[in-house]
Amino acid sequence: KDIGTLYLIFALIMLFIGGAMAMVIRAELFQPGLQFVDPQFFNSMTTVHALIMIFGAVMPAFTGLANWLIPMMIGAPDMALPRMNNFSFWILPFAFSLLLLTFFMDGGAPAGGWTLYPPFSWIQVDRQQAGHCIRHYPCRPVTALPSWYSPFT
């Protein structure tokens, strides 16, 4: 249950970070024209906001709830393979710190929209942005695999 608590706390922190990004996005869209941020940063923030909310808030929250509920449902004291489950969690902060650090790197954060649709993500985009996103993106599924495997063993 401790690992489930870590997942839920991480999901809450990512929810607050994604919510702060949503507030900046909403403030920019409040009136037509340029108010607070330049268009490239706005596109980057929209992309990173989506990645954080989906892969940083929703998915870890479901994993945290599963880490809480599955042991209770089967009458076990804890999840099977707790070390692998713990390792799965500790990859998450590393992955999302890489994603958030792309705002401070040359070329900026990825700006392909919330779907990362290739025609949008490769048109007028600095190649470094795509490289930063590609380096972050594989970390997330790696964190999910041990969590998916451990309830079934």
Side-chain angles (χ1 to χ4, degrees):
K1 291 186 175 90
D2 293 338
I3 299 169
T5 304
L6 288 173
Y7 271 110
L8 291 172
I9 291 170
F10 180 79
L12 186 66
I13 291 169
M14 287 293 111
L15 183 74
F16 288 145
I17 292 172
M21 289 181 179
M23 295 299 288
V24 172
I25 292 168
R26 285 282 105 200
E28 184 65 34
L29 294 175
F30 187 65
Q31 289 181 345
L34 184 65
Q35 280 87 30
F36 297 106
V37 296
D38 63 89
Q40 176 61 31
F41 185 75
F42 177 80
N43 292 339
S44 296
M45 183 163 289
T46 303
T47 303
V48 173
H49 162 75
L51 292 173
I52 284 177
M53 294 303 273
I54 294 168
F55 297 111
V58 174
M59 289 177 70
F62 286 152
T63 305
L65 288 173
N67 273 290
W68 266 87
L69 294 177
I70 289 175
M72 287 193 296
M73 289 191 301
I74 63 174
D78 198 5
M79 293 291 283
L81 306 171
R83 288 184 183 174
M84 186 166 57
N85 199 0
N86 194 20
F87 176 70
S88 165
F89 169 76
W90 286 109
I91 295 173
L92 272 177
F94 173 71
F96 283 96
S97 63
L98 279 177
L99 179 63
L100 291 174
L101 286 175
T102 60
F103 280 116
F104 305 107
M105 293 180 182
D106 292 335
W114 70 275
T115 60
L116 293 176
Y117 185 55
F120 296 144
S121 60
W122 292 103
I123 295 173
Q124 297 177 347
V125 173
D126 185 10
R127 296 294 183 235
Q128 283 184 323
Q129 292 175 343
H132 297 321
C133 187
I134 288 169
R135 280 189 285 280
H136 155 264
Y137 212 64
C139 292
R140 178 56 196 133
V142 168
T143 65
L145 289 176
S147 298
W148 295 336
Y149 178 72
S150 54
F152 302 112
T153 57

